[in-house]
Every structure is written in C-alpha cells, then in structure tokens.
Amino acid sequence: MDIVMIEKEQLPLCLEVIHKSFETVARDLGFTEQNCPGHTSFMKIEKLNNFWEWGFMMFGLWDKEELVGYYSLSDKGGGRYELHNLAVIPERRHCGCGKTMLDDAKKRSREAGATTLILSFIEESAILKQWYLSNGFKHIGTEKYEHLPFAVGLMEFAL
C-alpha cells in the first residue's frame, strides 16, 4: 500500500471514502442529515474543494488501484498542524491502515516544521478516543458548539 498526495480531480473519490468511513459513526450515534447536517458523513464536495483551495495537504492510502483511506493536514501556524478527516473504509479497518496513515501524518507534519499535531473528534466515541491515546496523543480538553449535538474532544501529539 502507498500513501500519495491527492490530485484535485481525485476529490470526488476521496469524498466517497470519507462518506463510507464516517457513515458508520453517524449510524452508531444516530446522526442524520436533519439532526446533524455538519457531520463529516454528510460532507458536500464544495467543502472538500474549499479545503483544497485553502491549502490543505490531502493524502490517500492506495491498495493497488483502490483508494482505501484518506486524511488531510492544515498548517495552523505557530508550529501546529491539524489532522483532518482520517478515514478508512469499513472493510479495511482493524488491519493497520489507520495507524499507517496516522504515522504518515506525524512524519509529514514534522518534516514540514510542525512541533505539534492537533485533532478534534467526537468526544463520545470512546473507541476512537482510546485509539488516539494509544497512539501517543494527549487529551487536552473538550468544546461544545450549539450547532453540534455532541461534545468535541481535542487532542495533541508532540512531534
């Protein structure tokens, strides 16, 4: 498997991976487009295009010709990079794809000069929270936003 930078014309394919990956979370937590339209499982191509235009670095995990994973990074300034939308299609979970991409994100962030990698996640997702903790992240707090029906957990990793 190879992790390569995404080309703009591949964004629709990336969106498919994001939808497949995050729809299991939405289903497990009872999110619908009506009660949580901002959830990643309902992301529109326009949002992904905006991320591209804003300079997010986007990467895909390929198994031969199949895109099985995706993530992006953005420079938040002050030596901080943010990890966005780490996604693995459900049939490829629990075989190291997520860890491979997470390690790649750490490496690329470090090489770009970052000293800290940050991320946010659904705080109620205990499995995901534990996975990030087991991969060296520290939980640094939570935020609550009126437009979201869940608390947002915040984590960081010292590079």
Side-chain angles (χ1 to χ4, degrees), residues 52-69:
W52 177 272
E53 297 301 324
W54 296 338
F56 282 34
M57 297 170 284
M58 301 175 170
F59 302 94
L61 177 64
W62 297 85
D63 184 2
K64 298 180 182 98
E65 299 295 314
E66 182 184 14
L67 183 64
V68 299

Side-chain angles (χ1 to χ4, degrees), residues 91-147:
E91 54 271 20
R92 293 302 188 96
R93 291 183 182 155
H94 310 294
C95 65
C97 291
K99 179 157 177 35
T100 297
M101 288 192 298
L102 185 59
D103 289 346
D104 188 71
K106 291 173 182 177
K107 176 179 167 275
R108 290 179 192 265
S109 297
R110 189 179 303 111
E111 288 172 352
T115 56
T116 307
L117 183 61
I118 61 173
L119 62 84
S120 58
F121 68 103
I122 297 173
E123 181 71 26
E124 291 84 354
S125 181
I127 292 172
L128 188 57
K129 181 178 183 177
Q130 185 54 49
W131 184 76
Y132 280 117
L133 289 170
S134 71
N135 279 283
F137 280 79
K138 288 176 27 180
H139 190 267
I140 58 170
T142 58
E143 296 281 337
K144 183 67 179 129
Y145 301 99
E146 257 187 56
H147 69 282

Side-chain angles (χ1 to χ4, degrees), residues 4-12 14 52 58:
V4 296
M5 193 166 264
I6 293 296
E7 302 291 332
K8 186 167 186 174
E9 63 271 8
Q10 295 171 316
L11 291 181
C14 295
W52 177 272
M58 301 175 170

Side-chain angles (χ1 to χ4, degrees), residues 32-101:
T32 66
E33 207 160 355
Q34 290 69 41
N35 69 17
C36 191
H39 187 259
T40 309
S41 61
F42 310 117
M43 182 187 292
K44 306 290 187 233
I45 192 66
E46 293 80 17
K47 187 170 185 178
L48 206 54
N49 279 322
N50 285 341
F51 292 160
W52 177 272
E53 297 301 324
W54 296 338
F56 282 34
M57 297 170 284
M58 301 175 170
F59 302 94
L61 177 64
W62 297 85
D63 184 2
K64 298 180 182 98
E65 299 295 314
E66 182 184 14
L67 183 64
V68 299
Y70 167 88
Y71 78 87
S72 65
L73 294 169
S74 65
D75 184 350
K76 304 307 276 185
R80 296 167 64 85
Y81 269 55
E82 185 169 359
L83 174 66
H84 305 272
N85 305 128
L86 182 72
V88 177
I89 59 174
E91 54 271 20
R92 293 302 188 96
R93 291 183 182 155
H94 310 294
C95 65
C97 291
K99 179 157 177 35
T100 297
M101 288 192 298

